Amino acid sequence: MNEGMVFGGRAACFLPIILVLCLTRNSNILPVAEGIWLTIPSSGTKCVSEEIQSNVVVLGDYYVIDENNPDHIPTISARVTAPFGNNLHHNENATHGQFAFTTSESGNYLACFWKDGSFQKDSELTLGVDWKTGIAAKDWESVAKKEKIEGVELVLRRLQGIVETIRGNLIYLRDREADMREVSEATNARVAWFSIMSLGVCIAVSVLQIWYLKRYFVKKKLI
Amino acid sequence: MESKWRKIWGLIGLLLLNFVNNVSSLSLTITKVDCVYEIVRSEGDIVSGNFVVVDHHIFWSSDHPGIDFSITSPGGGILHNLKGTSGDKFSFKAPRSGLYQFCFHNPLSTPETIAFYIHIGHIPNEHNLAKNEHLDPINVKIAELREALEAVTTEQKYLKARDAVHRRTNESTKTRVIGYTVGEYILLTIASVLQVVYIRRLFSKSVGYNRI
């Protein structure tokens, strides 16, 4: 057992390297093609958005993919805006970039990309966007270092994080469903009441009409 | 003994490599045709996802033709083709590795917003490892557990998007009920007042005419 621990200690120096290689998302050393690819049209902007709650970590990474001319990669500009218009990230004339922020309000967060005027060509551009929110954006490497856990335990800790996110999402969905049920029931009651009231308004108005016309004709001595 | 430890750490490292997260949950506004591309690293990966048309016309006619959706494999063959939908789930086993295209086509000219989520799940199996490496079953089980949790997450994203659409419809119904009812009352009153005014004018003129 002693022997195993000594050798384990020596072999354990491999693990941080593997962890670093696996878990670095925003590094240009390892251009891992994660996330989705979008095409940016030659004119106009391409925007992606997500409805995010407050107090959620958002991590974004975008890079231009162009295999046609590797020596002159076209550049793009990017802008990330919060739901009420604040500018969270702005970048011009870049081939890659990254941004990270914690949401302060819940709403629609928008990331827009467009081609720069300097390299105007009629071709479309492929952009890789890696957008991570919540548990996917958590830095597991620092957690592993801080709490000194590694291997299977770290993996299981990640799974526990996912399970907690699932539970949080379920609670959110349940609350939303409760809100919507109240709105639906209120609308249902309103439809019934308003229809009966419109019948009442109709009858009242016609009674008023007849009463007024009768009074008018009597005044004019027609009846 | 050292080689055993090395093997274990190597396997765990390989396992962690599989946890490089291939998830994307975004909304996209499409005008005519828009495609999203994803790279599938090894064949046999399970690609699952869903999409919901969020900006579905809350207007007079609900006979919007819907969005066409297609999945193209790297070889050019079309794996999945849906016409005229307002949202759907899909799941398939990737026949080969490479770049997969997920294309949305909007037959009308008004832009539509689509919320989509794509997840590529990989479970390590014997084929991926070198000849002298041995696959530890616990890693496979952990990967399967992870994929099951990701399936739940995928379903939740779909439910969230559908809930958002339903909420918009609900709010629109509520506004319409109140707005149209109040407008109906006002119009009814105006119509009846106009009727009375017209009858008055009719009789005052003709009476005067008859008298003469």
Side-chain angles (χ1 to χ4, degrees):
Chain A
M1 201 56 195
N2 233 346
E3 204 179 73
M5 281 199 318
V6 165
F7 283 129
R10 225 193 304 153
C13 74
F14 285 127
L15 188 62
I17 300 173
I18 296 173
L19 273 174
V20 164
L21 283 178
C22 297
L23 300 176
T24 5
R25 290 178 193 86
N26 301 329
S27 76
N28 296 320
I29 313 167
L30 275 186
V32 183
E34 288 184 13
I36 58 169
W37 288 7
L38 302 168
T39 49
I40 310 240
S42 42
S43 69
T45 67
K46 182 69 86 77
C47 291
V48 290
S49 61
E50 189 177 350
E51 187 98 24
I52 311 177
Q53 293 157 269
S54 67
N55 227 11
V56 169
V57 178
V58 178
L59 216 61
D61 191 5
Y62 53 93
Y63 42 91
V64 175
I65 297 158
D66 195 9
E67 298 107 8
N68 298 337
N69 36 0
D71 44 347
H72 193 146
I73 304 177
T75 59
I76 51 122
S77 301
R79 182 194 297 271
V80 180
T81 46
F84 295 116
N86 311 340
N87 204 356
L88 290 166
H89 169 82
H90 186 62
N91 204 0
E92 303 252 0
N93 271 338
T95 54
H96 64 268
Q98 53 221 40
F99 53 88
F101 56 91
T102 308
T103 59
S104 51
E105 64 241 345
S106 75
N108 210 24
Y109 284 79
L110 191 69
C112 286
F113 308 96
W114 62 95
K115 264 178 116 155
D116 266 337
S118 56
F119 191 73
Q120 239 358 327
K121 228 187 185 182
D122 262 336
S123 62
E124 288 186 338
L125 201 124
T126 313
L127 181 78
V129 175
D130 191 17
W131 176 279
K132 289 183 165 60
T133 51
I135 192 71
K138 192 161 177 182
D139 190 6
W140 289 104
E141 182 198 318
S142 66
V143 169
K145 250 190 268 187
K146 193 175 72 162
E147 306 198 11
K148 293 190 184 47
I149 52 176
E150 46 200 20
V152 177
E153 193 182 336
L154 180 67
V155 158
L156 288 177
R157 191 71 76 89
R158 283 184 78 155
L159 292 181
Q160 185 186 15
I162 295 177
V163 168
E164 280 169 8
T165 311
I166 289 176
R167 184 163 173 271
N169 280 343
L170 266 181
I171 291 174
Y172 171 74
L173 281 174
R174 189 187 64 187
D175 291 342
R176 291 269 290 197
E177 190 266 339
D179 283 343
M180 260 210 311
R181 195 169 7 99
E182 281 175 18
V183 171
S184 281
E185 287 178 358
T187 307
N188 187 18
R190 279 201 194 120
V191 163
W193 268 117
F194 286 1
S195 304
I196 295 176
M197 254 178 65
S198 83
L199 188 66
V201 165
C202 218
I203 294 174
V205 156
S206 52
V207 163
L208 272 173
Q209 266 186 330
I210 292 175
W211 172 78
Y212 178 77
L213 284 173
K214 189 162 175 197
R215 216 183 56 155
Y216 178 72
F217 289 155
V218 165
K219 201 166 69 162
K220 292 277 180 180
K221 296 196 178 48
L222 290 166
I223 297 179
Chain B
M1 196 60 187
E2 180 173 329
S3 62
K4 179 183 168 218
W5 274 108
R6 237 174 247 215
K7 258 184 246 169
I8 291 176
W9 291 129
L11 283 170
I12 289 171
L14 197 70
L15 183 71
L16 288 173
L17 201 65
N18 293 326
F19 285 174
V20 166
N21 226 341
N22 281 345
V23 298
S24 13
S25 150
L26 291 170
S27 301
L28 198 62
T29 307
I30 59 165
T31 39
K32 248 322 176 200
V33 181
D34 248 324
C35 289
V36 173
Y37 307 87
E38 270 260 31
I39 294 184
V40 174
R41 292 239 187 74
S42 54
E43 78 167 77
D45 283 355
I46 311 265
V47 181
S48 59
N50 49 60
F51 69 98
V52 174
V53 181
V54 169
D55 216 14
H56 213 102
H57 276 297
I58 317 182
F59 277 116
W60 305 101
S61 67
S62 58
D63 55 349
H64 189 269
I67 302 285
D68 303 335
F69 174 67
S70 68
I71 306 180
T72 314
S73 72
I78 296 187
L79 285 169
H80 210 74
N81 205 349
L82 280 161
K83 291 218 175 287
T85 58
S86 65
D88 205 6
K89 298 192 271 193
F90 58 87
S91 170
F92 61 92
K93 193 161 177 174
R96 45 179 280 195
S97 63
L99 191 72
Y100 280 77
Q101 273 191 354
F102 302 86
C103 285
F104 303 97
H105 172 242
N106 186 10
L108 298 184
S109 52
T110 47
E112 297 277 353
T113 310
I114 298 185
F116 63 88
Y117 181 74
I118 303 170
H119 171 68
I120 301 177
H122 177 81
I123 296 181
N125 55 12
E126 300 281 328
H127 299 286
N128 303 338
L129 302 179
K131 254 184 278 196
N132 50 358
E133 282 183 20
H134 182 63
L135 187 66
D136 195 357
I138 193 172
N139 293 343
V140 178
K141 281 299 169 195
I142 289 181
E144 284 176 8
L145 183 62
R146 162 74 178 234
E147 286 311 308
L149 287 177
E150 289 291 343
V152 179
T153 310
T154 308
E155 193 71 32
Q156 277 193 332
K157 300 267 183 198
Y158 186 55
L159 283 176
K160 255 198 204 174
R162 292 253 295 220
D163 172 86
V165 176
H166 191 195
R167 200 193 180 95
R168 291 178 73 157
T169 313
N170 242 3
E171 300 275 336
S172 158
T173 308
K174 182 183 88 167
T175 324
R176 276 186 191 178
V177 160
I178 296 177
Y180 291 5
T181 319
V182 168
E184 179 194 337
Y185 294 171
I186 292 173
L187 272 175
L188 201 61
T189 327
I190 290 176
S192 54
V193 164
L194 282 174
Q195 274 181 330
V196 167
V197 164
Y198 179 70
I199 290 175
R200 267 181 69 142
R201 276 221 315 202
L202 207 58
F203 275 97
S204 64
K205 259 200 275 195
S206 66
V207 164
Y209 189 78
N210 280 345
R211 285 270 166 90
I212 294 172

